[in-house]
Amino acid sequence: MSIQYLEKERVFCLNTPGSTYLMGIAAQEGFLGHLYYGTKLEDITGAVELFRTQESPYVPEKNERDRGSFMDKFPFEYSSHGVGDFRESSIRVRTMGGQTGTSLTYVKHEIYGGKRKLEGLPATFGQEDEVTTLVITCRDEATGLEVELSYSVFEKLDVITRSARIINGGLETLMLEKAMSGCLDMDGGEFDVLTLHGSWARERHMERKPLGHGEFAVSTLRGESSHQEHPFLGLLSKGADQVQGEVYGFHFVYSGNFVAKAQMSQFGQIRVVMGINPEDFCWKLEPGESFQTPEMVMVYSAEGIGKMSRTLHDLYRGHLIRSPWLHKKRPILINNWEATYFNFDADKIVSIAEESAKLGIEMLVLDDGWFGNRFDDNRALGDWWVNEDKIKGGMGELVAKVNALGMKFGLWFEPEMISPESELYVKHPDWALQIPGRKPCRCRNQYVLDITRREVRDAILEQVFQILHSANIEYVKWDMNRPLTDIGSAALPADRQGEVYHRYVLGMYEMQERLLQEFPNLLLENCSGGGGRFDPGMLYYSPQIWCSDDTDAIERLVIQEGTSLLYPLCCMGAHVSVCPNHTVGRSTPFATRGMTALTGTFGYELDVTKLSEEDKAAVPKQVRAYHACNDLIREGNYYRIASFWENRLYDCYQVVDDKKEKALVFFTQVLGEPAMHSRRLKLQGLKENAKYKLSLIDLEGEELLKDTGRVLGGSVLMHAGLQVERPWGDFQGRLFFLEEV
Ligand code: GLA
């Protein structure tokens, strides 16, 4: 049983295969307090002492005098606000009297097999034999506010997910100004924080620094999870690396404004909170109404960062991504964006498709520019009808021509946006988010649609559905190319304007849900100016997300390392494009670009009709490698061997199958070094006593596998290392294949 309640001690014990999470109800006051989270405890006798409630100056049953000092150090499971705990609060409600005090005590709990859905929100899921859920109800006596704290414990993974449902159980209206999804009070210790930061074309770069007194936070107010900061926070014990050390990972299943904070108190205790960013958030709760927070994922690893990554990969593959495409090889696609930008017509697209089909590419994706009056990015968002000047004969004819070549067809949309220069805006200027009396801020010359409104969502989806029903369109790229500003909805009253950011995210989730209900087999890829909305929330809807508009093979090593810190390789959109690269101007070998893209969903982002004969000849070889390797890449276990982000010279990662019989080793020498002998790469995840045959996957030659004639023991490979010759030159990739003999 993964969740137990010990009646006598009033302690809840949550166990995963390798971790224990303990909390208890403090004597008398009834506060729900945190006791322990870490390596699995086989016996928890005496754990209740961990509360320190018997330490002076305040002992609950003995005096009232120094209650303040108790409040300010008690490890709260969901921290209170304004009544003595000066650390970060988890919840803040404003009463009609204008006050904000909140303090929660235990009322009751329930344990059940499985996991209920979170209304309107993406969340992890699992069957009764895969996950057990504990719901603890707490109450604030003064306001009648109730909070249901939910903990779902996964049987096979070191994961506990949390969320809170906040119910107005009182008689007057409450304004919910802050509602974290979870709070974790740890006793202390020396930790580094690990986060992901970035920008457009530079998403999810890792950053690690020591956590000190005060607070450290990552957050966004852009209305999307953002390029800039990621809804993730890791706490690493000092010296933790890929293979050893304690790691706590906190990841947020949400695609809008978030905050993740780690705070070190005067006593060295560490509090972590994660939730919707309270800035510009205020939700009106009438008596009897409730608010559901998004889900927060907690992972524990006693075996370093690598184990945390693999746990999250398994969680997302097994319990978050719902798409029927999850375990399938995705069609190798070619996207015309970097090939043509807005400068194309149907003939051009067909010519790209014809050439692509000959090379083994399986799907043509028509990107931005096919609709309305969209001859550049200054107009037409919202006018989702086919531009027949460009697409002569209409979408049906174009798709039929592409299908006749044996290829699938996919299409780009940006459904959440409206151009000031569009037919839609002329008809419905109030459909753009805006603040009365202010000119809304343009980004890429576009406004954001007020999709908090049902009629707006309906009108856009109606257009999208009409296009998708008009032809055999099997893939959609759902883009979102600007952050939210001018937060105001013409449809909401003054006291609900603080709900717009969150209602926007709920509206977007609802639109994607309806799209998938209408087209259950659709392959959906999310995108946001590259990877600006790459988060677990979006994975609930689409099995893959475009990683970045930066397709340079070397930049991608870092972006994809940061992405794979949390996400399985099967969801990383990765394509080969031309050189000099459009974002950095770097030239890298075609084979290295192919190898980097093979790590993700794989495809091309170039004009294949203009490729050199040499590169064109290499495409079918990359296609062949994709078909040979994708099952392993998609379903395998990921190990990080060396990081270019850290060493600035070379990069190496490995994917191993469950049985440890097969492995791929991706090695890239970014910079050549003179006068050095071969390099040793200490592999991971193999069998100590097995022997492996080493081959090279040839991305250019006639045969897929080049036998190296080398057979190596698993323990040699893992402890002494795979000896790899240094290639001649910069940006050189080598893809090795190991198979047990
Ligand atoms: C974003 C996407 C690109 C492309 C363009 C089209 O930047 O990330 O891949 O679709 O929009 O405008």
Side-chain angles (χ1 to χ4, degrees):
M1 187 59 174
S2 56
I3 301 181
Q4 270 178 296
Y5 178 60
L6 312 178
E7 193 81 48
K8 196 166 126 269
E9 295 87 349
R10 302 223 289 173
V11 164
F12 296 96
C13 179
L14 282 50
N15 277 321
T16 69
S19 71
T20 295
Y21 188 99
L22 289 180
M23 56 193 150
I25 306 159
Q28 296 195 346
E29 295 254 353
F31 291 123
L32 185 65
H34 184 77
L35 293 165
Y36 171 82
Y37 183 31
T39 296
K40 185 158 187 177
L41 307 179
E42 296 302 338
D43 183 338
I44 59 160
T45 310
V48 73
E49 283 175 19
L50 299 166
F51 268 153
R52 294 207 179 93
T53 45
Q54 298 306 311
E55 284 178 22
S56 59
Y58 177 74
V59 179
E61 62 269 33
K62 291 193 187 136
N63 70 74
E64 182 53 29
R65 209 186 93 91
D66 283 309
R67 193 162 180 275
S69 58
F70 166 82
M71 293 300 282
D72 208 16
K73 73 168 198 246
F74 185 76
F76 285 100
E77 196 51 40
Y78 196 70
S79 50
S80 58
H81 184 89
V83 292
D85 180 355
F86 294 97
R87 294 161 293 170
E88 188 70 25
S89 62
S90 301
I91 184 164
R92 187 173 70 228
V93 282
R94 193 172 292 276
T95 61
M96 285 296 99
Q99 294 87 13
T100 56
T102 319
S103 181
L104 298 162
T105 49
Y106 171 87
V107 178
K108 60 177 182 188
H109 72 268
E110 176 200 2
I111 298 172
Y112 67 90
K115 188 171 183 294
R116 293 178 194 132
K117 284 190 172 173
L118 303 190
E119 205 192 324
L121 285 165
T124 57
F125 49 79
Q127 303 297 322
E128 280 182 23
D129 57 345
E130 295 171 321
V131 56
T132 310
T133 300
L134 161 69
V135 182
I136 303 177
T137 305
C138 296
R139 190 174 160 85
D140 177 36
E141 289 306 332
T143 55
L145 185 87
E146 282 189 2
V147 179
E148 289 175 0
L149 299 173
S150 203
Y151 300 79
S152 293
V153 180
F154 284 79
E155 297 289 332
K156 295 213 174 107
L157 297 169
D158 291 324
V159 170
I160 299 172
T161 63
R162 296 179 59 174
S163 66
R165 199 164 85 92
I166 293 141
I167 306 139
N168 183 352
L171 298 172
E172 64 166 32
T173 306
L174 293 172
M175 301 303 277
L176 182 62
E177 295 181 343
K178 179 179 190 181
M180 292 294 105
S181 294
C183 166
L184 176 68
D185 270 3
M186 296 164 63
D187 199 52
E190 259 194 276
F191 288 101
D192 285 342
V193 278
L194 177 66
T195 55
L196 298 172
H197 71 97
S199 182
W200 172 76
R202 189 165 32 79
E203 293 88 340
R204 290 174 298 288
H205 279 220
M206 298 196 291
E207 195 163 80
R208 180 174 180 165
K209 56 197 155 237
L211 177 69
H213 286 90
E215 54 185 42
F216 171 83
V218 283
S219 67
T220 186
L221 265 177
R222 293 168 191 265
E224 58 172 341
S225 47
S226 91
H227 297 85
Q228 286 73 14
E229 291 175 33
H230 197 76
F232 165 77
L233 196 140
L235 289 182
L236 319 181
S237 61
K238 279 282 166 219
D241 57 23
Q242 282 296 323
V243 294
Q244 59 85 36
E246 279 193 294
V247 176
Y248 296 86
F250 307 93
H251 206 187
F252 199 31
V253 189
Y254 188 61
S255 312
N257 292 346
F258 71 87
V259 65
K261 222 177 234 189
Q263 194 183 37
M264 193 190 279
S265 78
Q266 55 187 329
F267 306 116
Q269 299 154 297
I270 293 167
R271 173 171 289 176
V272 175
V273 296
M274 181 174 256
I276 292 178
N277 195 332
E279 183 88 20
D280 285 335
F281 169 83
C282 182
W283 197 276
K284 186 175 176 186
L285 272 186
E286 299 286 11
E289 282 183 356
S290 65
F291 180 85
Q292 175 64 58
T293 74
E295 182 167 57
M296 162 188 181
V297 172
M298 303 194 299
V299 187
Y300 173 76
S301 159
E303 292 157 51
I305 301 166
K307 172 87 185 297
M308 175 199 73
S309 299
R310 288 187 293 281
T311 302
L312 283 172
H313 296 182
D314 289 344
L315 178 74
Y316 295 155
R317 281 185 297 205
H319 305 278
L320 181 67
I321 303 174
R322 300 173 298 169
S323 171
W325 285 94
L326 171 62
H327 295 297
K328 288 189 193 153
K329 240 196 270 169
R330 320 289 155 77
I332 299 174
L333 69 82
I334 184 155
N335 177 305
N336 74 307
W337 177 241
E338 286 190 34
T340 63
Y341 295 109
F342 292 99
N343 187 18
F344 63 84
D345 58 17
D347 290 344
K348 176 72 205 170
I349 298 303
V350 172
S351 74
I352 293 178
E354 277 167 354
E355 202 58 44
S356 305
K358 286 185 215 153
L359 304 174
I361 296 172
E362 299 160 321
M363 178 162 74
L364 184 287
V365 175
L366 179 56
D367 210 278
D368 195 354
W370 56 266
F371 53 92
N373 194 21
R374 184 84 166 168
F375 57 85
D376 63 17
D377 61 4
N378 289 307
R379 64 206 87 240
L381 293 168
D383 299 343
W384 301 107
W385 41 265
V386 179
N387 181 323
E388 297 216 13
D389 290 337
K390 277 179 160 181
I391 312 293
K392 289 207 175 59
M395 197 55 82
E397 197 177 308
L398 174 62
V399 177
K401 281 185 186 158
V402 172
N403 285 168
L405 296 165
M407 291 177 85
K408 295 181 188 296
F409 185 90
L411 198 58
W412 180 97
F413 288 93
E414 196 178 354
E416 298 157 65
M417 297 294 151
I418 181 165
S419 303
E421 201 181 312
S422 65
E423 291 181 5
L424 189 69
Y425 191 73
V426 171
K427 264 195 254 159
H428 299 289
D430 65 314
W431 281 14
L433 285 178
Q434 59 203 290
I435 301 171
R438 281 184 196 283
K439 200 168 168 199
C441 175
R442 295 184 184 204
C443 299
R444 211 193 187 197
N445 224 348
Q446 65 199 54
Y447 295 149
V448 181
L449 271 172
D450 181 3
I451 55 168
T452 70
R453 295 167 70 168
R454 173 86 200 194
E455 70 274 28
V456 176
R457 301 198 295 272
D458 288 351
I460 296 297
L461 282 181
E462 197 187 309
Q463 293 188 62
V464 172
F465 287 4
Q466 205 176 343
I467 298 280
L468 296 181
H469 278 302
S470 75
N472 183 26
I473 299 167
E474 296 176 80
Y475 160 109
V476 162
K477 177 173 169 187
W478 180 304
D479 210 340
M480 193 273 196
N481 278 325
R482 60 155 288 178
L484 274 56
T485 60
D486 304 278
I487 302 307
S489 167
L492 288 172
D495 58 0
R496 289 202 181 270
Q497 292 292 325
E499 300 177 9
V500 171
Y501 271 124
H502 182 57
R503 281 183 185 273
Y504 179 92
V505 179
L506 294 177
M508 180 271 295
Y509 288 151
E510 191 235 64
M511 288 173 82
Q512 297 218 344
E513 189 68 42
R514 281 163 69 188
L515 173 69
L516 296 170
Q517 271 165 13
E518 188 78 9
F519 303 95
N521 295 318
L522 185 75
L523 174 54
L524 182 61
E525 176 154 358
N526 268 292
C527 173
S528 174
R533 205 163 56 182
F534 201 123
D535 60 61
M538 301 314 292
L539 277 188
Y540 188 69
Y541 303 94
S542 65
Q544 59 196 60
I545 305 175
W546 183 228
C547 255
S548 176
D549 280 346
D550 197 331
T551 47
D552 171 66
I554 304 306
E555 295 301 312
R556 274 291 181 125
L557 289 178
V558 181
I559 294 170
Q560 293 179 188
E561 175 177 9
T563 308
S564 58
L565 176 74
L566 310 175
Y567 301 95
L569 306 185
C570 64
C571 68
M572 302 197 309
H575 299 164
V576 176
S577 66
V578 294
C579 282
N581 178 270
H582 288 206
T583 39
V584 277
R586 183 180 288 130
S587 291
T588 54
F590 197 71
T592 305
R593 281 175 265 160
M595 195 179 105
T596 307
L598 280 171
T599 313
T601 57
F602 196 64
Y604 294 85
E605 189 97 9
L606 43 74
D607 187 347
V608 73
T609 66
K610 293 185 185 154
L611 270 189
S612 70
E613 286 309 312
E614 196 189 341
D615 288 351
K616 208 185 278 184
V619 172
K621 294 171 185 156
Q622 297 185 349
V623 165
R624 181 182 62 190
Y626 169 80
H627 288 299
C629 300
N630 187 257
D631 285 348
L632 187 47
I633 292 170
R634 210 180 54 243
E635 310 286 343
N637 303 308
Y638 169 86
Y639 294 87
R640 171 56 57 177
I641 309 300
S643 160
F644 167 58
W645 166 73
E646 267 172 19
N647 64 41
R648 308 314 294 168
L649 286 171
Y650 68 103
D651 198 73
C652 183
Y653 46 93
Q654 190 190 342
V655 186
V656 186
D657 73 330
D658 282 339
K659 292 188 188 150
K660 305 182 175 193
E661 289 169 353
K662 289 178 191 168
L664 289 164
V665 182
F666 295 78
F667 168 71
T668 307
Q669 173 175 286
V670 179
L671 294 179
E673 284 176 284
M676 296 287 280
H677 52 58
S678 57
R679 202 182 281 290
R680 280 186 191 164
L681 303 167
K682 287 189 185 169
L683 302 188
Q684 297 173 41
L686 302 172
K687 290 190 233 174
E688 295 277 352
N689 295 319
K691 291 185 189 3
Y692 295 90
K693 180 176 164 197
L694 180 78
S695 325
L696 203 62
I697 296 204
D698 195 347
L699 293 175
E700 285 162 329
E702 285 316 309
E703 298 292 319
L704 174 72
L705 288 183
K706 247 192 203 162
D707 188 1
T708 64
R710 291 160 74 187
V711 172
L712 301 148
S715 50
V716 171
L717 289 166
M718 291 194 287
H719 306 300
L722 168 66
Q723 205 141 288
V724 179
E725 257 183 65
R726 283 173 203 249
W728 172 253
D730 299 339
F731 316 134
Q732 299 296 317
R734 295 287 181 271
L735 179 49
F736 296 100
F737 179 58
L738 288 164
E739 191 166 26
E740 190 181 352
V741 290

Short mmCIF file of all heavy atoms in Angstrom, two decimals, residues 200 337 342 367-368 374 412 444 477 479 481 527-530 546 549 605, ligand 1:
data_model
loop_
_atom_site.label_atom_id
_atom_site.label_comp_id
_atom_site.label_asym_id
_atom_site.label_seq_id
_atom_site.Cartn_x
_atom_site.Cartn_y
_atom_site.Cartn_z
N TRP A 200 14.09 33.59 -27.12
CA TRP A 200 13.74 33.04 -28.43
C TRP A 200 15.02 32.46 -29.04
O TRP A 200 16.09 33.06 -28.93
CB TRP A 200 13.16 34.16 -29.33
CG TRP A 200 12.97 33.66 -30.73
CD1 TRP A 200 11.98 32.84 -31.17
CD2 TRP A 200 13.81 33.92 -31.86
NE1 TRP A 200 12.17 32.56 -32.50
CE2 TRP A 200 13.28 33.21 -32.95
CE3 TRP A 200 14.98 34.67 -32.03
CZ2 TRP A 200 13.86 33.24 -34.22
CZ3 TRP A 200 15.56 34.70 -33.29
CH2 TRP A 200 15.00 34.00 -34.37
N TRP A 337 8.76 26.28 -43.83
CA TRP A 337 8.98 27.62 -43.26
C TRP A 337 10.35 28.18 -43.63
O TRP A 337 10.46 29.19 -44.32
CB TRP A 337 8.76 27.59 -41.74
CG TRP A 337 9.03 28.90 -41.07
CD1 TRP A 337 9.97 29.14 -40.11
CD2 TRP A 337 8.38 30.16 -41.29
NE1 TRP A 337 9.94 30.45 -39.72
CE2 TRP A 337 8.97 31.11 -40.44
CE3 TRP A 337 7.35 30.58 -42.15
CZ2 TRP A 337 8.58 32.44 -40.39
CZ3 TRP A 337 6.95 31.91 -42.11
CH2 TRP A 337 7.57 32.83 -41.24
N PHE A 342 7.20 33.34 -46.50
CA PHE A 342 5.86 33.58 -47.05
C PHE A 342 5.80 33.46 -48.58
O PHE A 342 4.74 33.60 -49.18
CB PHE A 342 5.36 34.97 -46.63
CG PHE A 342 5.12 35.06 -45.15
CD1 PHE A 342 6.06 35.61 -44.30
CD2 PHE A 342 3.94 34.54 -44.60
CE1 PHE A 342 5.84 35.66 -42.93
CE2 PHE A 342 3.72 34.59 -43.23
CZ PHE A 342 4.66 35.16 -42.40
N ASP A 367 3.46 25.56 -43.69
CA ASP A 367 3.55 26.46 -42.53
C ASP A 367 2.79 27.75 -42.81
O ASP A 367 1.93 27.83 -43.70
CB ASP A 367 5.04 26.70 -42.21
CG ASP A 367 5.29 26.96 -40.74
OD1 ASP A 367 5.10 28.11 -40.30
OD2 ASP A 367 5.67 26.01 -40.01
N ASP A 368 3.13 28.77 -42.08
CA ASP A 368 2.47 30.08 -42.11
C ASP A 368 2.36 30.64 -43.54
O ASP A 368 3.27 30.48 -44.34
CB ASP A 368 3.34 31.03 -41.26
CG ASP A 368 2.62 32.30 -40.90
OD1 ASP A 368 1.51 32.52 -41.39
OD2 ASP A 368 3.20 33.07 -40.11
N ARG A 374 -2.52 36.76 -46.05
CA ARG A 374 -1.26 36.62 -45.29
C ARG A 374 -0.06 36.54 -46.24
O ARG A 374 0.53 35.47 -46.42
CB ARG A 374 -1.37 35.37 -44.43
CG ARG A 374 -0.18 35.09 -43.50
CD ARG A 374 -0.26 35.82 -42.22
NE ARG A 374 0.70 35.30 -41.25
CZ ARG A 374 0.98 35.90 -40.11
NH1 ARG A 374 0.39 37.04 -39.78
NH2 ARG A 374 1.87 35.37 -39.29
N TRP A 412 -0.28 24.48 -40.69
CA TRP A 412 0.02 25.41 -39.58
C TRP A 412 -1.18 26.29 -39.27
O TRP A 412 -1.85 26.77 -40.18
CB TRP A 412 1.20 26.27 -40.03
CG TRP A 412 1.71 27.31 -39.07
CD1 TRP A 412 2.77 27.18 -38.23
CD2 TRP A 412 1.23 28.66 -38.91
NE1 TRP A 412 2.97 28.36 -37.54
CE2 TRP A 412 2.05 29.28 -37.94
CE3 TRP A 412 0.20 29.41 -39.48
CZ2 TRP A 412 1.87 30.61 -37.53
CZ3 TRP A 412 0.02 30.72 -39.07
CH2 TRP A 412 0.85 31.30 -38.10
N ARG A 444 4.96 41.37 -33.01
CA ARG A 444 4.94 40.82 -34.36
C ARG A 444 3.69 41.34 -35.09
O ARG A 444 3.05 40.61 -35.84
CB ARG A 444 4.94 39.29 -34.33
CG ARG A 444 5.64 38.67 -35.52
CD ARG A 444 5.35 37.18 -35.62
NE ARG A 444 6.16 36.56 -36.67
CZ ARG A 444 5.91 35.38 -37.20
NH1 ARG A 444 4.88 34.67 -36.79
NH2 ARG A 444 6.67 34.90 -38.14
N LYS A 477 0.20 21.94 -36.84
CA LYS A 477 1.17 22.66 -36.00
C LYS A 477 0.42 23.84 -35.42
O LYS A 477 -0.01 24.73 -36.14
CB LYS A 477 2.35 23.11 -36.86
CG LYS A 477 3.40 23.94 -36.12
CD LYS A 477 4.60 24.17 -37.05
CE LYS A 477 5.58 25.19 -36.50
NZ LYS A 477 6.63 25.51 -37.50
N ASP A 479 0.54 27.02 -33.39
CA ASP A 479 1.56 27.99 -33.01
C ASP A 479 0.96 29.07 -32.11
O ASP A 479 -0.26 29.26 -32.06
CB ASP A 479 2.15 28.62 -34.29
CG ASP A 479 3.59 29.04 -34.12
OD1 ASP A 479 4.04 29.21 -32.98
OD2 ASP A 479 4.27 29.20 -35.16
N ASN A 481 2.52 32.95 -31.17
CA ASN A 481 3.74 33.71 -31.42
C ASN A 481 3.93 35.02 -30.68
O ASN A 481 4.72 35.84 -31.11
CB ASN A 481 3.89 33.95 -32.92
CG ASN A 481 4.49 32.74 -33.62
OD1 ASN A 481 5.33 32.06 -33.05
ND2 ASN A 481 4.03 32.45 -34.82
N CYS A 527 3.67 24.62 -30.58
CA CYS A 527 4.80 25.47 -30.93
C CYS A 527 4.48 26.85 -30.38
O CYS A 527 3.32 27.23 -30.28
CB CYS A 527 4.89 25.52 -32.46
SG CYS A 527 6.11 26.68 -33.10
N SER A 528 5.51 27.59 -30.01
CA SER A 528 5.27 28.98 -29.62
C SER A 528 6.53 29.78 -29.91
O SER A 528 7.46 29.78 -29.12
CB SER A 528 4.92 29.05 -28.14
OG SER A 528 4.83 30.40 -27.77
N GLY A 529 6.57 30.38 -31.10
CA GLY A 529 7.79 31.09 -31.50
C GLY A 529 8.99 30.19 -31.24
O GLY A 529 9.96 30.59 -30.61
N GLY A 530 8.89 28.94 -31.69
CA GLY A 530 9.85 27.91 -31.30
C GLY A 530 9.32 27.23 -30.05
O GLY A 530 8.19 26.78 -30.00
N TRP A 546 7.50 21.71 -30.82
CA TRP A 546 8.66 22.25 -31.53
C TRP A 546 9.61 22.88 -30.50
O TRP A 546 9.23 23.77 -29.76
CB TRP A 546 8.17 23.26 -32.57
CG TRP A 546 9.21 23.88 -33.46
CD1 TRP A 546 9.35 25.20 -33.74
CD2 TRP A 546 10.22 23.20 -34.22
NE1 TRP A 546 10.39 25.40 -34.60
CE2 TRP A 546 10.95 24.19 -34.92
CE3 TRP A 546 10.59 21.87 -34.37
CZ2 TRP A 546 12.03 23.88 -35.76
CZ3 TRP A 546 11.67 21.56 -35.21
CH2 TRP A 546 12.36 22.56 -35.89
N ASP A 549 13.12 27.62 -32.64
CA ASP A 549 13.33 28.07 -34.01
C ASP A 549 14.81 28.01 -34.37
O ASP A 549 15.18 28.24 -35.52
CB ASP A 549 12.81 29.50 -34.19
CG ASP A 549 11.30 29.54 -34.39
OD1 ASP A 549 10.71 28.46 -34.65
OD2 ASP A 549 10.71 30.63 -34.28
N GLU A 605 13.62 21.09 -42.55
CA GLU A 605 13.10 22.45 -42.54
C GLU A 605 13.91 23.18 -43.59
O GLU A 605 14.77 24.00 -43.26
CB GLU A 605 13.34 23.01 -41.12
CG GLU A 605 12.70 24.31 -40.78
CD GLU A 605 11.38 24.17 -40.03
OE1 GLU A 605 11.01 23.05 -39.62
OE2 GLU A 605 10.71 25.20 -39.91
C1 GLA B 1 7.01 30.62 -35.36
C2 GLA B 1 7.38 29.15 -35.43
C3 GLA B 1 8.05 28.85 -36.75
C4 GLA B 1 7.13 29.24 -37.88
C5 GLA B 1 6.73 30.70 -37.75
C6 GLA B 1 5.67 31.08 -38.75
O1 GLA B 1 8.13 31.41 -35.25
O2 GLA B 1 8.20 28.79 -34.37
O3 GLA B 1 8.38 27.50 -36.84
O4 GLA B 1 5.98 28.42 -37.86
O5 GLA B 1 6.22 30.98 -36.46
O6 GLA B 1 5.26 32.38 -38.64
#
